[in-house]
Amino acid sequence: FENDYLGRDRGLVKWQRRAFLENVLPLEDMFKGMPGVAYGVTTLTVKEPTPVKLVFHSSDGLRVWVNGELKIQQHAHLPFRPTLNNSQTSADGTLQPGENKIMVKAVRCSKPLQFSFAVVDTNGRPVPNLGNTRW
């Protein structure tokens, strides 16, 4: 994640470390008003198998992988209404003991991108003892 890459517009792009303290992640400043794609990677750490619901919402395109497996794929221009009970952009699963890699691809077309991410238990409550969720 240390390299620079040649982007579609011939500009350099690179991975950036960011910490998001809330469920709504402000990504729009990365796009500078232009269409594009942003990838996010984080690691969720648990001590034992943990059933969870991963809840994402985006005003544009979205793909989510958990430990390399595609869990969510959507491309819709929807009003941004993040909720913990949104079944269209959520995936049930079980986090395995140790590190669980989450990778997200967020697409921005012509309008500003809005994006949220939450991890809850199967009843919609916060997951206790969940490791750091920094991106």
Side-chain angles (χ1 to χ4, degrees):
F1 296 125
E2 302 297 326
N3 296 331
D4 291 346
Y5 302 92
L6 188 60
R8 203 182 289 178
D9 64 354
R10 304 236 183 259
L12 289 179
V13 294
K14 63 181 175 180
W15 289 95
Q16 301 173 22
R17 288 197 180 275
R18 291 189 171 201
F20 297 103
L21 303 177
E22 298 183 10
N23 291 347
V24 176
L25 288 63
L27 301 176
E28 183 59 26
D29 66 321
M30 294 170 33
F31 294 101
K32 299 179 175 72
M34 302 295 292
V37 175
Y39 285 88
V41 177
T42 192
T43 302
L44 305 178
T45 305
V46 294
K47 292 182 180 179
E48 57 192 35
T50 306
V52 296
K53 182 176 185 178
L54 301 169
V55 183
F56 294 84
H57 190 67
S58 171
S59 59
D60 217 321
L62 176 69
R63 283 187 182 176
V64 179
W65 294 265
V66 178
N67 293 324
E69 180 182 350
L70 182 63
K71 292 290 191 174
I72 296 173
Q73 181 172 322
Q74 160 201 305
H75 194 146
H77 300 260
L78 303 171
F80 185 64
R81 295 187 181 117
T83 174
L84 297 183
N85 296 317
N86 187 340
S87 62
Q88 291 181 349
T89 53
S90 67
D92 293 327
T94 300
L95 298 178
Q96 299 304 316
E99 294 185 344
N100 295 267
K101 300 281 185 203
I102 310 292
M103 186 169 84
V104 175
K105 175 184 179 182
V107 177
R108 183 201 192 275
C109 289
S110 59
K111 295 184 180 178
L113 176 69
Q114 295 174 294
F115 177 79
S116 68
F117 167 55
V119 180
V120 295
D121 68 15
T122 55
N123 295 312
R125 296 181 301 235
V127 177
N129 303 317
L130 184 63
N132 193 342
T133 58
R134 300 184 134 206
W135 293 84

